[in-house]
Amino acid sequence: MSNLFEQTDQYSSDNYSPLKLALAKGYGAKVWDVGGKCYIDCISGFSVVNQGHCHPEIIKAFQQQSQKITMVSRALYSENLGIWEEKICKLANKEKVLPMNTGTEAVETAIKIARKWGSDVKQIAESTTEIIAMKGNFHGRTLGSLSLSSQDNYKQGFGPLLNNVHYADFGDIEQLKNLINEQTTAIILEPIQGEGGVNIPPDHFLQAVRKLCDENNVLLIADEIQVGLGRTGKMFAMEWEHVEPDIYLLGKSLGGGLYPISAILANQNVMEVLTPGTHGSTFGGNPLACAVSIAALDVLIEEKLVENSKNLGQKLLNQLQLIDSHIISDVRGRGLFIGIELTEEAKPYCLKMIEKGVLCKETQGNIIRIAPPLVINEQEIDKVVHVITEVLEKGRQ
Ligand SMILES: *Cc1c(COP(=O)(O)O)cnc(C)c1O
C-alpha cells in the first residue's frame, strides 16, 4: 500500500497534496479504501457523483453505448445527441445547448459567448468589454476561467490573464450597481458559492441581480457546475429565488460520475452569436458522453434525487445546527450542500471524521463542506450526524 503512495508521489506533478488515503471501490454513498475500510462519502468527487458511485443504470448505458459507437465528430450527426439535447434543454427551460467536456470549458465558452454578444448586440468595442464576477468565486483553472478568480494565489505567476474583469462582494447589490456600465457584457456568479465556502447570498440578491441585468442589457451567467442538478435541493440553485439566468453552465454530475460532459444552455437570441467555425470541441457531445448523461439525468429524475437532497439535506442541517461546540461559528446549507464554519483550521477535524468513517474535506481553511451523493439514505445521514457531532463536540484530541 505504501508503495502505491510512493509511486504516485514520485510521478505526480506537485499541484495536489492529497491525504494518504487511496480509494478502491464505491457504491451509492459509500466508498471503500484499498484496505477494505468503508466510508460514507461526503465529498462526492466535489459533487460529481450526485447519482451515487457506480450507479448500475449509468454503467449499463455506458457499456451498451461503448459497444455500439463512442466517437462521432461534430462534422456529422449521431444517434443520441439530439435526444440528450432535448432532455437537457427542457430541464433548463432553454432553447439551445452547446456540449463541452469539463466545467472550465463551459466557463470559457460562456466568456466567449458573452464577449461576442457584447460585440455583436451591444456594439461594445472589443478591447473594452467588461465582465463582472463575484469575490470568492470558483470557475475553473484554465486561463479564461482563472481570469475571473479573485484569489491571487490561484493567479500568481500565470499572467497575463484576461483584463477588464471586475469584482463585487458576493451578495452586495450596491457594489454591482456601481461596477456596471455600458461596457459590461455579463455578470457571472455561482448562485451558491462552492469552493468559496458554501456561501449563500442574502435573500432576494439573485432577483436583484436579474433586475440589474435587465435594466442594463447585461447577460446573467449562472455557473451551476457544482450546485446544479439537485445538489441544493432544487434542480437548479437559481430556483431558490425563481430567477432564470440568460446562460446556465452545467458540468460535474451531468456525467453521472462516469464520464466528463459539460453544457452551456441559453436561448437562441444569445446562442446565435456563435456561427459555424466560431467555437468547437473534438469530444463535445460524443455519443458515449450523451448516453451516460441521458442515463444520469434519468436517474436524477426517476429516483427523485432532488427531493431526497431537499428532505435529507434539511434533516442533516437541522441536526448539525444542534451541535453544541464553541469551535463552530456557523452551519449553513441548502439541500445536501452544507458548510460547517469553524473558528479554527478545519483539516484536523476532517481527518478525525475520516478516521471514524466519514469522508469530508475542508475548503478555505476553516470550512468543512458536506456534500454526499444525493442517493444517501436516512441511516447513512444518521451515521454522518453521529460522527460529526462526536468529533466537533469533543474537539480535537
Ligand atoms: C468544479 C467547478 C468548475 C470547474 O470544473 P472542472 O470540470 O474542474 O473544469 C467551474 N465552476 C464551478 C462552480 C465548479 O465547482
Side-chain angles (χ1 to χ4, degrees):
M1 219 201 305
S2 72
N3 186 36
L4 175 161
F5 296 127
E6 280 165 25
Q7 181 188 41
T8 308
D9 288 345
Q10 183 178 343
Y11 293 103
S12 287
S13 67
D14 287 328
N15 56 320
Y16 288 105
S17 56
L19 297 177
K20 287 267 183 293
L21 174 64
L23 298 184
K25 221 170 67 170
Y27 191 76
K30 293 195 175 79
V31 291
W32 288 263
D33 69 15
V34 287
K37 184 176 167 186
C38 179
Y39 306 81
I40 295 172
D41 184 2
C42 286
I43 304 175
S44 305
F46 299 124
S47 300
V48 169
V49 286
N50 284 5
Q51 297 87 345
H53 289 273
C54 296
H55 195 291
E57 289 301 317
I58 306 177
I59 290 176
K60 194 167 96 190
F62 179 91
Q63 285 173 335
Q64 284 176 351
Q65 188 62 46
S66 65
Q67 286 165 358
K68 242 173 122 188
I69 190 166
T70 53
M71 192 56 213
V72 175
S73 86
R74 292 294 306 272
L76 304 166
Y77 285 76
S78 54
E79 235 176 355
N80 61 4
L81 177 60
I83 298 170
W84 174 79
E85 287 177 333
E86 182 174 350
K87 203 178 267 290
I88 192 69
C89 280
K90 288 192 168 156
L91 201 67
N93 192 30
K94 292 291 178 208
E95 294 164 357
K96 293 279 181 178
V97 62
L98 195 169
M100 298 292 282
N101 311 285
T102 62
T104 198
E105 284 176 296
V107 174
E108 297 285 335
T109 304
I111 294 172
K112 281 182 73 175
I113 292 172
R115 284 183 157 195
K116 188 98 182 355
W117 182 85
S119 166
D120 290 3
V121 177
K122 284 189 84 175
Q123 314 279 309
I124 303 170
E126 252 187 70
S127 57
T128 65
T129 186
E130 297 181 12
I131 291 179
I132 305 175
M134 301 297 136
K135 285 185 194 156
N137 74 65
F138 184 82
H139 296 297
R141 299 289 197 165
T142 53
L143 289 169
S145 310
L146 191 63
S147 303
L148 302 175
S149 177
S150 63
Q151 249 175 281
D152 286 338
N153 59 330
Y154 284 7
K155 299 195 283 191
Q156 200 71 46
F158 295 118
L161 300 176
L162 299 182
N163 52 20
N164 296 350
V165 178
H166 299 278
Y167 303 100
D169 282 326
F170 187 53
D172 191 330
I173 194 71
E174 292 308 320
Q175 283 187 21
L176 276 177
K177 282 182 186 162
N178 288 333
L179 287 171
I180 213 161
N181 63 45
E182 314 241 285
Q183 269 65 50
T184 310
T185 190
I187 294 177
I188 182 165
L189 54 76
E190 299 153 86
I192 296 175
Q193 290 187 330
E195 305 296 311
V198 190
N199 300 326
I200 303 169
D203 287 346
H204 308 300
F205 173 67
L206 300 173
Q207 289 170 354
V209 177
R210 177 69 274 177
K211 187 158 167 274
L212 187 66
C213 287
D214 290 341
E215 287 166 356
N216 291 275
N217 198 23
V218 162
L219 296 175
L220 175 53
I221 305 170
D223 179 346
E224 297 238 12
I225 290 165
Q226 182 157 176
V227 293
L229 302 180
R231 172 51 62 194
T232 73
K234 302 271 186 196
M235 186 58 80
F236 297 95
M238 293 297 277
E239 286 173 37
W240 281 101
E241 293 201 10
H242 311 286
V243 171
E244 292 212 17
D246 299 293
I247 300 179
Y248 267 124
L249 306 180
L250 294 175
K252 293 199 162 110
S253 70
L254 187 59
L258 216 76
Y259 196 92
I261 178 169
S262 62
I264 300 88
L265 292 132
N267 282 339
Q268 173 63 359
N269 62 346
V270 172
M271 202 66 103
E272 69 189 2
V273 300
L274 294 183
T275 51
T278 52
H279 196 57
S281 162
T282 301
F283 286 98
N286 72 73
L288 193 54
C290 289
V292 166
S293 188
I294 289 167
L297 293 171
D298 285 346
V299 164
L300 196 67
I301 291 158
E302 280 160 22
E303 297 188 11
K304 299 192 172 21
L305 297 184
V306 185
E307 290 86 337
N308 200 53
S309 174
K310 185 159 186 244
N311 298 335
L312 291 190
Q314 191 60 53
K315 176 180 164 165
L316 179 57
L317 184 66
N318 292 345
Q319 304 273 330
L320 294 178
Q321 283 173 336
L322 290 177
I323 300 176
D324 183 15
S325 169
H326 65 280
I327 57 166
I328 299 180
S329 53
D330 191 29
V331 182
R332 54 179 176 265
R334 292 235 162 105
L336 286 166
F337 199 53
I338 294 173
I340 307 172
E341 189 167 336
L342 305 185
T343 55
E344 51 185 277
E345 285 294 301
K347 190 170 177 181
Y349 297 99
C350 288
L351 292 175
K352 268 267 175 266
M353 289 170 200
I354 292 171
E355 211 173 278
K356 292 175 188 286
V358 170
L359 275 195
C360 59
K361 173 92 172 79
E362 79 284 355
T363 182
Q364 303 296 317
N366 67 324
I367 300 161
I368 304 170
R369 179 174 26 177
I370 304 292
L374 308 185
V375 295
I376 195 167
N377 61 35
E378 297 246 15
Q379 254 181 329
E380 290 161 336
I381 289 282
D382 290 343
K383 158 115 195 201
V384 170
V385 170
H386 179 76
V387 166
I388 295 179
T389 305
E390 207 173 55
V391 169
L392 291 183
E393 264 185 353
K394 287 182 185 159
R396 205 188 322 183
Q397 285 148 357

